[in-house]
Amino acid sequence: MIDRLNEFFFPKQVSTFASDIDNLFYFIFYSSVVLMAIVVIGMVVFSIKYRFKKGDKVRLTSSKDHDNILESLFFIIPLILVSITFVWGIRSYLKMIIVPDDAIEIKVTGQSWFWTFDYPEGGTSLNELVVPSNTPIKILLSSKDVLHSFFIPVMRTKMDALPNRYNIMWFEAQEEGVYDIFCTEYCGTAHSQMAAKVIVMKPKQYEEWVKELGSGDDDLPLDELGEKLYTKKACNTCHTLDGSDLVGPSYLETSRMWGQTRNFEDGSSAVIDENYIRKSILEPQSQIVAGYQGVMPTYQGLLSDRELDALIAFLKSLNDK
Amino acid sequence: MSENQNINYLNHPKGIMSWLLTLDHKRIGLMYLFSGIIFFLIGGLLALGMRLELAAPGNDFVSNDTYNSMYTLHGAIMIFLFIIPAIPGALGNILLPLMVGAKDVAFPRLNLASFYIYSFGALFAIYTIVNGGVDTGWTFYTPYSTQSTSNVVPMTLGIFIIGFSSILTGLNFIATVHKMRVPGLTWYKLPLFVWALYGTSLVQITATPVLAITMVLLILERFLGIGIFDPALGGDPVLYQHFFWFYSHPAVYIMILPAFGIISEIIPVHSRKKVWGYKFIAYSTLSIAFIGFLVWGHHMFTSGQSVFSQIVFSFITYFVGIPTGVKIFSWILTMYKGQVSFTTPMIYALSFLFLFTIGGLTGIFLGAVALDIHLHDTYFVVAHFHYVMQGGTIIAFLAGLHHWWPKSFGKMYNQKIASLCALGVFIGFNGTFFPQFLLGLRGMPRRYATYSDQFSELHTYSTFWSTILGLSIFIAILNLMWSLRKNNKLDPGSNPWGALTMEWTHTSSPPHPHNFESDPVFTNGPYDYDKVIVEPTLKK
Amino acid sequence: MSNEHHITPLRTYLIIAGSLLFLTGVTVWVSFIDLGSFNIILAMAVATLKASLVVLFFMHLLWDDKKNLVVFVMSLMFLGIFITFTLLDTGFRGGINPEVKNSINSKASFYDNLPLTDTHGNPVDSHDNHHEDKDDSHH
Amino acid sequence: MSHNSSSPDFLHHHFHDVDQQYQTSKFGMWAFILTEVLTFGGLFVAYTVYRSWYPEMFYDAHLLLDVNKGMLNTIVLISSSLTMALAIWAIQKKNKKLSLWMLVITWILALGFLGIKYLEYSHKFEVGQLPGIFYSYMGPEVVNIDNPHIFFGIYFIMTGLHGLHVAIGMGLIAWLIYLTKKDKLHSDYYTPMETVGIFWHLVDLIWIYLFPLFYLIG
Ligand code: HEA
Ligand code: HEA
Ligand code: CUA
Ligand SMILES: [Cu+2]
């Protein structure tokens, strides 16, 4: 019964403290249901019982307007409920903020509009947070530009990413799987697309995964690797493959215009070729396509040479498909 | 009433200039009323547009940028142009002097100035709309608001200006309550609506200056980069949030206290019963206003403020609930052994009790810091504040509008249609916003132009009911306007509900230009239904 | 319509103004003596004393309707609330996780491009010209 | 409107009597003072927070302010407060001429205050001690301190807002001079002078705090 109810109200409970939070919710929920019942029953009974019936005469009514016992209950009952809620709430809260000493520290950086994850072993991933199960994970959170907020519903936790300051959160996942991460602080046009995934793996698998993180997919052909990187490096938050505009021009459009001239905001222009694409990725601010805003972040340092080539090859190939 | 029965403030003096330059609080109140309703309709239309976009996950009804601008304008218009200035400005202005037996508010010229300042500020907001909108959310969090290329400056400047109007209105009302009461009308004989306006005004004059300075700092941050709120310049965005919420939490009590006042008037009148626990209701108003200043940090539970303040703010937040509960229970007990008529105002008042209690109790969920970390900036919050603002304030406003409409205009609306609309609003409202609690619990973030498929069913449901809600509100307003036509035969008489407050008993409907034909003499307490009988003049 | 408004004697005004000037001298004098954190306490104490004199005598609150005094005290109370509760946050950050206490870069980045100046604000020559090595070169 | 015919022309129709009108105006003014205190209050909060975060910077940066000019301005404002109070005293004592003189002196002192402020500001503009990103002064006193632009940001906003109040006060005092001259104000009705006086003392009051906070202890 409780499980079914929980499924109705909440996403899965994955972190260690999720059930605590949910139970706190149920406590307030049931208290509220009782209070609500008192209000509704009182309202309905009085308004119907003492209704002005057809044929009634307007008359003087009772002058009763206080009752000491009743009125002290107005204070005592809420006070008791509130005290329990407070103590319970703070105990759960302390669990959420005191990070276990043996936690793995992952650095999470928000940026309009994607997340970067730096692992203690040295690798970096974009929009895909991979963590081992049953291990406390400490998140050192910050932002490169405006406020973002890092929200993992299944873990029941969330924290704002501030520019130029760190914030801390932690969780310990108890179940492997792939879960949603949302940005919950408004951060501009593509705020609602600033989604990522948290992938919880068995600790063994995780170790292998971080080891491979640096090495890349050497065996894939360039354009297939490019297609993979397109989502992995979060290009898809701003560029589509089907010709429609998001924040940036669609790749399909760019691909169609291969060899033609691009006009820029400042009045200059350039021919779309490999060099231009490379420059667009590494120094996006240098040439801003007319009709768009210069919001694309630089990928300097986030892509290897091979990855750059792969993206260029993929982009070029789109028109032929 | 004598032969000059038909000289009233509506037709005397005549001419457009006599309205634009009027110092009469009733006329100023009406000007607030109509501008407020227009902004409400604009805000509501924006809301319906948003709901349309959200009806299905991949909807492409409007672009991301347009959506972001729509919800910001929706929030900012509803709050800064409608419920904060217009409800006290309209009902407060029309009723306060009448209820205390004064000829006008303490500073009539300031009152008119206040209206024009409000209009001037509203022009900036309108400019913002036609110039492409603004996309920061009504909270204008830095550093996004210092970087956004949208119209942040016109909008915040507009809010800054409207702030002055709000301050001047508050100041005027406080002076009126203190100094202009008719002899014999002591504090404990004041109608509770007056108490509520008094509490509201106190919050207005203490909190609004901080909003003004916050907006100034924000604008300076954009132009000069002073660095107080911008982390790139050594500042702190969380400090901005303290500044903003120091105003904006108390501001929610600017929105709800007048609503409490309206309900405290309507329930006794339509139950024909002495109000339960008069002093408790009066003092709970003041304590809500005061405690409201100590809890603003509950909007910042995920911002990274110190753990110490998280705990303190969470603790104090719960205590707002206790005086509010006292009010709710007192209103219910007021009906005990009364003669309850299910008139339109009463139907609205009863649905207020239901909806506001849900809204308030969900505020307690949000006040629990551990739970709020999950719920913050999700649709649970959206649902909470619509339950308190739309389900609380707007419903109470509609209740008050229907209650005092015959007072203000001397005309009666079609009560059947009005009551049906009240039901429609109640049902449509729950249908629209109850699913949003579930959305929020399941993790749907707010301020999202698109969302993933898992949330689509509840969103569709919410959109469907929002049209019923919109339609009911729209018809309710049309119904009121229709009653103003020349050949309306429905005559409410001067005291349709048989009420005992001075605005009903001591003057005609609509009132004399100087409120009372002769100096009024205070006769009976506002809720003495156990001592005095006044037959309702409204015929069934 | 006679209504007796309190008329403060001329002497009172002169004494108050004299004390205000005297106290100004005192704070300035004290500020040149190093008393550590006691300096600020003393300065604020004197300022508050001066402010009270202004409020009570020049602004007539001493003889005025007590409501006006209540309003004024209320303004101080709300200001007190604002300061205290904000400091509860800004003064106690990092109590549990010390990493969150300070900003990552303590100095705003535009200082990197500011040339050193003399006391008149005129740039003085420094060894390295910042602008030269910022020019990106294309190969 | 019965009693209006017999009542003095300065009594507005919606008041019962002169005393009610007088008390109401004063009460309204005090409520307005409350909003002023809280407006400046926001800036005091910003000041307190940043001072607690950057105590050394505040100390070093405050040495760049000119204590002498600050003190002179304090004296000017206190004197103008006195003359303002005396103007009210004079009109209560039915001495119109003295009252006028006092108002004129108050006005001149206010102008003097702004003149001195102008000198201070123009020096800061010259050397580049400006708020925010316009800050460019990197003299020997500040090279090793973090973010002096914040100190000057807060300094300019607070003293600037205060200066704006002085300017508004000058307008109001000019209005009083006009009213007194035209005999609109006299010993039976001087409410505008009293309320403007309260405003003017508030301007003094705020400076009483600004002076030590910026010039003396940084
Ligand atoms: C009219 C406006 C209004 C009112 C009256 C309230 C009333 C309350 N609000 Fe609400 N609130 C808003 C408007 C309002 N709010 C808005 C606009 C936002 C979002 C802003 C934004 O981010 O955009 C918000 C957000 C908000 C948050 C932040 C959520 C978040 O962003 O994470 C919180 C957290 O504590 C909160 C709490 C409360 C509480 C405790 C009350 C209390 O006053 C409620 C008291 C009432 C009751 C409790 C019910 C009746 C009482 C009883 C039946 C007795 C029994 C009671 C107990 C046992 C306690 N509100
Ligand atoms: C008084 C305040 C108030 C009121 C009354 C409302 C009323 C409504 N609000 Fe509003 N809302 C806010 C204040 C308010 N809102 C605030 C402050 C925010 C936060 C903004 C932010 O995040 O910055 C918000 C955000 C908000 C969101 C979340 C947006 C997001 O986070 O992405 C949604 C989504 O459903 C919403 C919907 C609605 C709806 C459907 C109504 C309806 O109740 C509206 C009903 C009224 C009408 C419909 C108008 C009348 C009818 C007509 C004009 C005729 C046409 C109609 C038909 C023919 C059907 N609101
Ligand atoms: Cu990032 Cu919203
Ligand atoms: Cu709040």
Side-chain angles (χ1 to χ4, degrees):
Chain A
M1 167 65 190
I2 268 286
D3 278 357
R4 294 263 314 271
L5 197 65
N6 210 62
E7 231 165 77
F8 181 66
F9 280 132
F10 284 104
K12 233 184 199 155
Q13 299 177 343
V14 175
S15 68
T16 41
F17 46 65
S19 61
D20 262 44
I21 311 284
D22 295 1
N23 292 339
L24 174 62
F25 169 82
Y26 290 120
F27 173 71
I28 310 179
F29 178 68
Y30 287 123
S31 319
S32 301
V33 168
V34 173
L35 287 168
M36 204 51 214
I38 296 175
V39 169
V40 171
I41 292 172
M43 214 161 86
V44 170
V45 167
F46 288 160
S47 65
I48 291 183
K49 181 153 180 226
Y50 301 111
R51 73 183 179 281
F52 191 94
K53 296 186 198 72
K54 260 214 178 87
D56 275 4
K57 276 253 158 57
V58 174
R59 59 173 163 78
L60 291 178
T61 49
S62 149
S63 56
K64 184 161 176 61
D65 67 352
H66 70 276
D67 183 309
N68 290 340
I69 297 176
L70 211 56
E71 260 143 29
S72 45
L73 285 182
F74 294 174
F75 290 91
I76 295 169
I77 294 177
L79 214 56
I80 294 173
L81 290 173
V82 154
S83 312
I84 302 175
T85 314
F86 176 70
V87 175
W88 195 331
I90 295 308
R91 284 180 46 183
S92 316
Y93 176 59
L94 291 178
K95 278 192 204 160
M96 298 174 80
I97 52 164
I98 298 178
V99 187
D101 289 336
D102 55 344
I104 299 180
E105 182 173 305
I106 298 179
K107 226 178 134 216
V108 177
T109 311
Q111 183 173 350
S112 301
W113 292 279
F114 59 93
W115 298 99
T116 315
F117 304 104
D118 290 299
Y119 297 86
E121 289 84 355
T124 298
S125 69
L126 261 62
N127 276 354
E128 230 176 53
L129 170 62
V130 178
V131 297
S133 55
N134 298 315
T135 317
I137 311 292
K138 172 179 180 179
I139 304 260
L140 194 60
L141 196 60
S142 72
S143 158
K144 280 220 172 122
D145 35 47
V146 295
L147 300 182
H148 301 275
S149 190
F150 193 66
F151 177 30
I152 317 179
V154 292
M155 309 295 177
R156 307 286 187 277
T157 188
K158 158 185 311 128
M159 197 55 159
D160 285 7
L162 307 181
N164 204 18
R165 270 258 310 276
Y166 288 119
N167 261 340
I168 304 273
M169 66 191 246
W170 81 280
F171 61 84
E172 178 178 336
Q174 293 175 307
E175 199 180 326
E176 292 80 24
V178 181
Y179 310 107
D180 285 320
I181 296 174
F182 297 118
C183 174
T184 47
E185 190 65 77
Y186 180 66
C187 53
T189 311
H191 163 62
S192 50
Q193 276 96 336
M194 192 168 161
K197 295 278 178 206
V198 52
I199 303 173
V200 182
M201 295 178 174
K202 291 249 157 56
K204 273 258 170 56
Q205 259 177 308
Y206 169 77
E207 266 161 40
E208 279 166 31
W209 184 87
V210 264
K211 224 180 275 159
E212 248 178 50
L213 188 59
S215 58
D217 312 74
D218 281 336
D219 38 347
L220 280 178
L222 274 184
D223 52 347
E224 274 177 40
L225 175 59
E227 185 163 12
K228 237 177 121 177
L229 292 172
Y230 165 69
T231 42
K232 209 166 156 189
K233 298 294 177 188
C235 316
N236 61 338
T237 28
C238 305
H239 301 281
T240 65
L241 301 180
D242 60 5
S244 61
D245 260 8
L246 280 178
V247 180
S250 172
Y251 276 2
L252 186 61
E253 191 58 32
T254 313
S255 184
R256 278 191 190 133
M257 288 180 67
W258 203 266
Q260 298 168 24
T261 325
R262 253 290 182 225
N263 296 319
F264 301 121
E265 281 287 288
D266 59 3
S268 63
S269 59
V271 172
I272 298 190
D273 59 10
E274 278 87 350
N275 270 335
Y276 163 72
I277 300 293
R278 179 181 292 266
K279 199 168 174 212
S280 294
I281 299 172
L282 296 180
E283 295 166 34
Q285 301 305 322
S286 65
Q287 295 170 321
I288 292 168
V289 180
Y292 295 89
Q293 287 176 342
V295 291
M296 174 163 163
T298 169
Y299 277 83
Q300 196 106 42
L302 288 172
L303 297 170
S304 68
D305 266 351
R306 191 178 136 79
E307 285 173 326
L308 257 174
D309 290 340
L311 275 167
I312 296 170
F314 167 62
L315 221 161
K316 192 175 171 187
S317 71
L318 274 176
N319 201 19
D320 312 332
K321 282 185 181 164
Chain B
M1 303 292 140
S2 51
E3 76 277 22
N4 49 11
Q5 171 84 46
N6 39 24
I7 287 192
N8 64 51
Y9 79 105
L10 292 170
N11 59 22
H12 189 89
K14 280 196 166 54
I16 178 90
M17 286 322 278
S18 78
W19 278 85
L20 292 181
L21 296 179
T22 182
L23 297 181
D24 181 348
H25 64 99
K26 303 179 285 307
R27 290 188 163 192
I28 295 173
L30 286 190
M31 298 200 285
Y32 269 114
L33 181 67
F34 289 109
S35 24
I37 288 180
I38 288 169
F39 286 118
F40 174 56
L41 292 180
I42 296 175
L45 224 49
L46 284 164
L48 290 184
M50 281 147 57
R51 286 303 337 156
L52 221 56
E53 165 74 7
L54 294 172
N59 247 3
D60 223 4
F61 170 62
V62 293
S63 70
N64 272 8
D65 282 331
T66 315
Y67 179 85
N68 294 338
S69 194
M70 278 163 79
Y71 82 71
T72 305
L73 287 170
H74 165 70
I77 287 177
M78 285 293 194
I79 289 190
F80 294 116
L81 271 67
F82 176 49
I83 59 181
I84 288 182
I87 292 184
L91 291 179
N93 254 322
I94 297 174
L95 296 169
L96 175 65
L98 290 169
M99 282 182 161
V100 299
K103 293 208 190 80
D104 207 323
V105 292
F107 311 111
R109 260 179 241 160
L110 211 57
N111 202 15
L112 182 66
S114 174
F115 175 75
Y116 279 111
I117 293 171
Y118 162 72
S119 313
F120 184 58
L123 286 183
F124 282 82
I126 291 168
Y127 170 80
T128 306
I129 300 177
V130 296
N131 198 36
V134 52
D135 75 332
T136 56
W138 78 281
T139 48
F140 300 100
Y141 275 13
T142 56
Y144 186 77
S145 58
T146 58
Q147 293 168 13
S148 167
T149 51
S150 63
N151 297 296
V152 176
V153 173
M155 192 70 214
T156 45
L157 208 58
I159 291 171
F160 171 76
I161 294 168
I162 290 173
F164 280 97
S165 145
S166 189
I167 288 175
L168 294 182
T169 305
L171 199 150
N172 219 335
F173 285 2
I174 289 189
T176 309
V177 176
H178 267 286
K179 302 287 184 186
M180 309 294 285
R181 280 173 284 133
V182 67
L185 184 53
T186 57
W187 282 91
Y188 291 135
K189 294 205 171 113
L190 283 176
L192 288 164
F193 184 61
V194 175
W195 274 97
L197 281 175
Y198 183 71
T200 311
S201 304
L202 280 178
V203 180
Q204 275 178 314
I205 64 166
T206 34
T208 319
V210 175
L211 175 75
I213 202 71
T214 309
M215 294 293 127
V216 168
L217 288 174
L218 179 59
I219 291 169
L220 289 178
E221 188 77 69
R222 275 181 80 96
F223 285 135
L224 306 179
I226 45 173
I228 292 179
F229 297 145
D230 189 346
L233 297 169
D236 183 25
V238 181
L239 186 65
Y240 171 82
Q241 297 171 24
H242 282 296
F243 270 66
F244 183 80
W245 292 114
F246 178 85
Y247 166 74
S248 290
H249 182 82
V252 310
Y253 299 111
I254 300 179
M255 309 174 205
I256 202 66
L257 289 179
F260 288 166
I262 294 170
I263 300 301
S264 308
E265 291 304 318
I266 289 179
I267 292 186
V269 174
H270 297 265
S271 308
R272 183 156 296 291
K273 171 71 201 312
K274 192 169 187 181
V275 71
W276 187 282
Y278 176 94
K279 283 194 186 173
F280 272 135
I281 295 185
Y283 281 123
S284 67
T285 300
L286 296 186
S287 51
I288 291 170
F290 178 73
I291 302 173
F293 275 93
L294 309 175
V295 302
W296 77 79
H298 67 210
H299 296 272
M300 300 163 57
F301 282 156
T302 68
S303 68
Q305 66 178 337
S306 78
V307 172
F308 188 28
S309 42
Q310 301 268 76
I311 293 173
V312 171
F313 280 127
S314 173
F315 181 71
I316 304 176
T317 295
Y318 301 127
F319 285 89
V320 192
I322 292 171
T324 316
V326 169
K327 280 183 192 286
I328 304 254
F329 298 128
S330 301
W331 290 325
I332 291 171
L333 285 168
T334 299
M335 293 185 282
Y336 174 69
K337 290 196 174 168
Q339 287 184 305
V340 182
S341 325
F342 290 95
T343 53
T344 313
M346 192 64 184
I347 295 175
Y348 277 116
L350 292 174
S351 55
F352 169 93
L353 286 183
F354 183 85
L355 300 174
F356 178 77
T357 310
I358 294 184
L361 288 170
T362 52
I364 302 296
F365 289 69
L366 295 169
V369 42
L371 191 52
D372 183 68
I373 287 177
H374 177 64
L375 296 175
H376 174 69
D377 270 358
T378 65
Y379 264 78
F380 192 91
V381 179
V382 175
H384 156 69
F385 67 69
H386 282 94
Y387 263 85
V388 281
M389 293 200 295
Q390 154 108 57
T393 311
I394 305 294
I395 297 249
F397 174 64
L398 288 169
L401 216 52
H402 285 87
H403 182 70
W404 282 295
W405 195 263
K407 176 84 249 162
S408 313
F409 297 103
K411 308 248 178 163
M412 197 61 201
Y413 44 83
N414 181 324
Q415 293 194 76
K416 276 221 181 71
I417 297 180
S419 298
L420 275 177
C421 285
L423 279 177
V425 171
F426 179 77
I427 295 167
F429 177 83
N430 281 304
T432 309
F433 292 103
F434 203 83
Q436 297 188 359
F437 283 124
L438 287 173
L439 278 171
L441 284 167
R442 293 178 190 177
M444 167 76 203
R446 62 192 278 209
R447 299 175 173 172
Y448 265 28
T450 56
Y451 51 90
S452 56
D453 287 342
Q454 52 183 319
F455 304 119
S456 67
E457 196 186 330
L458 289 167
H459 266 307
T460 312
Y461 198 68
S462 171
T463 300
F464 169 73
W465 285 104
S466 70
T467 56
I468 309 283
L469 169 62
L471 213 59
S472 311
I473 291 181
F474 193 56
I475 297 174
I477 291 175
L478 282 186
N479 183 38
L480 287 175
M481 297 300 163
W482 180 240
S483 75
L484 297 182
R485 70 193 186 279
K486 268 237 162 62
N487 57 355
N488 182 2
K489 295 268 158 43
L490 297 172
D491 180 14
S494 85
N495 192 353
W497 321 114
L500 292 184
T501 36
M502 280 182 83
E503 85 276 19
W504 294 108
T505 50
H506 283 63
T507 182
S508 53
S509 304
H512 188 265
H514 292 290
N515 288 356
F516 306 98
E517 267 173 80
S518 51
D519 284 354
V521 181
F522 179 74
T523 41
N524 54 273
Y527 309 111
D528 287 347
Y529 294 98
D530 53 340
K531 299 201 190 81
V532 188
I533 284 192
V534 176
E535 280 283 342
T537 55
L538 185 71
K539 297 287 166 284
K540 289 264 160 165
Chain C
M1 248 166 235
S2 75
N3 41 82
E4 257 76 292
H5 295 165
H6 175 91
I7 301 184
T8 317
L10 183 59
R11 239 188 46 181
T12 316
Y13 283 135
L14 295 177
I15 292 174
I16 296 301
S19 327
L20 287 173
L21 292 173
F22 171 73
L23 287 170
T24 307
V26 171
T27 33
V28 174
W29 173 64
V30 169
S31 76
F32 289 108
I33 311 170
D34 186 17
L35 300 171
S37 64
F38 199 64
N39 269 102
I40 181 164
I41 298 174
L42 206 64
M44 285 299 98
V46 174
T48 305
L49 181 60
K50 283 166 72 181
S52 324
L53 292 180
V54 171
V55 170
L56 292 178
F57 294 94
F58 282 171
M59 294 162 107
H60 302 143
L61 265 193
L62 192 58
W63 305 283
D64 225 350
D65 189 346
K66 285 292 165 278
K67 277 193 206 74
N68 297 344
L69 183 64
V70 171
V71 170
F72 183 70
V73 171
M74 233 174 76
S75 74
L76 301 181
M77 187 179 79
F78 282 99
L79 178 55
I81 290 174
F82 192 7
I83 294 186
T84 317
F85 279 71
T86 306
L87 286 180
L88 280 191
D89 168 23
T90 61
F92 291 89
R93 287 191 197 157
I96 291 196
N97 296 303
E99 297 97 320
V100 306
K101 182 160 187 196
N102 293 315
S103 41
I104 298 173
N105 299 311
S106 59
K107 200 163 189 164
S109 58
F110 74 88
Y111 285 99
D112 299 345
N113 302 323
L114 285 183
L116 295 182
T117 62
D118 58 17
T119 50
H120 301 292
N122 302 316
V124 290
D125 281 331
S126 56
H127 327 288
D128 54 341
N129 192 329
H130 289 267
H131 291 282
E132 233 164 50
D133 44 29
K134 276 211 90 183
D135 242 332
D136 38 8
S137 40
H138 300 278
H139 302 291
Chain D
M1 324 214 62
S2 48
H3 57 247
N4 252 20
S5 44
S6 63
S7 62
D9 58 351
F10 51 81
L11 179 64
H12 291 293
H13 87 275
H14 59 292
F15 290 110
H16 291 286
D17 56 38
V18 175
D19 193 49
Q20 187 194 21
Q21 172 165 330
Y22 172 76
Q23 292 297 348
T24 308
S25 303
K26 253 174 72 168
F27 182 74
M29 192 62 203
W30 276 104
F32 180 72
I33 296 294
L34 176 144
T35 69
E36 288 280 6
V37 170
L38 283 151
T39 309
F40 277 96
L43 297 171
F44 279 110
V45 171
Y47 174 94
T48 316
V49 168
Y50 280 95
R51 190 173 189 278
S52 75
W53 276 342
Y54 298 101
E56 291 91 7
M57 183 272 274
F58 266 61
Y59 183 80
D60 286 351
H62 105 277
L63 296 175
L64 297 173
L65 301 182
D66 188 339
V67 186
N68 291 327
K69 292 210 182 77
M71 185 159 98
L72 192 59
N73 256 347
T74 312
I75 294 170
V76 168
L77 265 194
I78 289 177
S79 315
S80 78
S81 245
L82 175 66
T83 52
M84 185 76 227
L86 293 183
I88 296 168
W89 175 79
I91 203 146
Q92 283 171 332
K93 294 272 184 195
K94 301 192 171 47
N95 190 341
K96 173 181 165 189
K97 206 161 155 208
L98 181 62
S99 184
L100 266 176
W101 271 113
M102 283 302 150
L103 288 175
V104 170
I105 296 176
T106 312
W107 196 89
I108 292 172
L109 286 171
L111 188 67
F113 179 90
L114 288 184
I116 295 169
K117 260 272 75 85
Y118 171 77
L119 293 181
E120 269 191 273
Y121 276 13
S122 56
H123 174 256
K124 301 224 154 20
F125 273 65
E126 248 159 55
V127 301
Q129 291 158 355
L130 290 170
I133 48 173
F134 295 98
Y135 183 88
S136 68
Y137 180 78
M138 289 295 274
E141 305 94 332
V142 298
V143 278
N144 291 321
I145 64 177
D146 287 345
N147 299 333
H149 69 285
I150 293 186
F151 177 86
F152 285 100
I154 297 176
Y155 165 80
F156 272 104
I157 295 171
M158 291 190 85
T159 54
L161 186 63
H162 179 261
L164 182 68
H165 278 76
V166 173
I168 293 172
M170 284 173 69
L172 292 172
I173 293 168
W175 175 62
L176 290 183
I177 294 175
Y178 168 81
L179 288 181
T180 315
K181 231 179 153 144
K182 291 262 147 150
D183 283 323
K184 295 257 166 55
L185 302 186
H186 40 75
S187 61
D188 283 332
Y189 177 70
Y190 53 86
T191 316
M193 200 184 288
E194 178 125 23
T195 48
V196 171
I198 294 176
F199 176 81
W200 190 250
H201 298 306
L202 175 82
V203 172
D204 186 18
L205 190 92
I206 286 167
W207 185 258
I208 285 179
Y209 282 95
L210 293 185
F211 173 58
L213 284 177
F214 284 108
Y215 292 81
L216 298 184
I217 50 175

